[in-house]
Amino acid sequence: MHAVPAPKLVIKRQGGQFRELEWTADIITIGRDGANDVIIDHPLASRRHARLERTDEGFAVRDLDSTNGTFVNQERIAGLCMLHNQDQIIIADTIIIFHDPEATVKGALPPEVLRAVREELRVDSRAKEVYIKGQLLRPPLTVKEFQLLELLYERRGQVVSKDEIARQVWDYEVFDYNAIDALVYRLRQRIEPDHSNPRYLITQRGFGYKLVTTPES
C-alpha cells in the first residue's frame, strides 16, 4: 500500500443525520446489518451491501451484489469502482461524499455538492427507476410518464416548453397540448405528496414545465 493521508467521508441521511468519518482502515463495510462499519438501517439497503476498499491504485467502492444497487454519481456500479475527489456514493437513503486527501482544501462544500445531498427526487435512467426521498417508487411509472420525468430531470431547474416535450416524448411536430397537460397531471399524482400543490413538477405559465428536485421547504 502507498502511504497516503486518510481521506474523509461525509455521510448524509435523508432524515437530516450528518457525520464525518476518517477512512483509516483498508476495508470499511456498509449495510443494514449491525456488524457493518457504516450501518444503513433502511429497507432498501442489503445486509451486506457494499464495502470501501483501499488499494494500491487508490480508493474504491465495491458493490456486494446488493438487491437495489450501489450508485456513484447517480450511476449504478457493477463490482469495483475507483473513487475520485467529491464522488458521491448513494445507497438507499444515504449519500457518502468522498474527499480525496491529496485534492481536498479547507472550506465549505461546493454549492452543487450541497444541492445533490439535498436532492429529494432522483431518476435512474439505466435502471428505469425513480426514487423519492430514498424510496423506490412503486409501482413503476408508465413508459410515457417515465419519458417525461426523465426529460425534465435531465434539464432539472430549467423550463422545458410543451413543444419540446411533444418532440421528445411523442416525436410529433404538432401535438394536442391537452394530452401533455393530462400526462403532467398523471405524473404529479404519482410523484407529488399533494398533486394539487406541486412540490417537484412546477408549471411556468405561458412557457412550460420545470422539475425541482431540491425544494426550498
Side-chain angles (χ1 to χ4, degrees), residues 18-34:
F18 176 94
R19 70 184 178 109
E20 291 188 2
L21 176 68
E22 192 172 70
W23 185 345
T24 55
D26 288 338
I27 293 177
I28 297 176
T29 58
I30 305 171
R32 198 174 72 249
D33 191 280

Side-chain angles (χ1 to χ4, degrees), residues 27-217:
I27 293 177
I28 297 176
T29 58
I30 305 171
R32 198 174 72 249
D33 191 280
N36 288 288
D37 299 306
V38 176
I39 301 170
I40 300 177
D41 54 345
H42 192 282
L44 292 179
S46 298
R47 294 177 65 83
R48 295 178 65 255
H49 196 106
R51 68 174 179 238
L52 302 172
E53 301 181 7
R54 187 168 182 162
T55 73
D56 287 331
E57 290 73 35
F59 302 92
V61 59
R62 184 188 299 273
D63 182 71
L64 301 178
D65 296 323
S66 62
T67 300
N68 293 301
T70 300
F71 299 80
V72 174
N73 300 328
Q74 302 184 5
E75 293 293 331
R76 187 167 185 166
I77 67 170
L80 191 71
C81 177
M82 299 305 297
L83 294 172
H84 306 282
N85 188 44
Q86 295 185 0
D87 275 351
Q88 298 177 46
I89 304 165
I90 304 172
I91 297 174
D93 69 338
T94 300
I95 296 177
I96 303 172
I97 305 172
F98 171 74
H99 291 274
D100 188 298
E102 297 181 332
T104 303
V105 295
K106 291 183 178 180
L109 291 175
E112 62 271 16
V113 174
L114 294 174
R115 284 195 298 270
V117 168
R118 296 194 299 267
E119 191 168 61
E120 295 183 6
L121 187 151
R122 180 170 60 84
V123 176
D124 182 352
S125 294
R126 183 179 299 178
K128 304 302 181 188
E129 294 175 338
V130 177
Y131 293 86
I132 299 176
K133 294 186 176 181
Q135 297 284 345
L136 178 64
L137 186 65
R138 292 290 189 190
L141 298 175
T142 66
V143 172
K144 282 287 184 286
E145 289 168 352
F146 186 86
Q147 288 175 337
L148 173 58
L149 183 60
E150 183 179 40
L151 171 63
L152 294 171
Y153 186 77
E154 290 172 353
R155 301 268 300 277
R156 53 193 179 276
Q158 304 175 31
V159 177
V160 180
S161 70
K162 291 185 179 181
D163 285 334
E164 185 170 357
I165 292 172
R167 290 193 300 269
Q168 296 292 335
V169 178
W170 278 273
D171 195 27
Y172 292 169
E173 289 297 327
V174 179
F175 195 78
D176 180 4
Y177 287 163
N178 290 330
I180 296 177
D181 295 336
L183 181 61
V184 168
Y185 176 80
R186 294 197 300 272
L187 182 57
R188 279 177 173 154
Q189 288 185 311
R190 295 301 317 281
I191 68 171
E192 297 285 359
D194 178 3
H195 66 85
S196 64
N197 184 26
R199 177 177 177 85
Y200 306 118
L201 208 173
I202 309 300
T203 299
Q204 293 293 120
R205 295 196 180 280
F207 296 98
Y209 299 98
K210 71 176 179 180
L211 188 71
V212 178
T213 58
T214 56
E216 292 300 321
S217 60

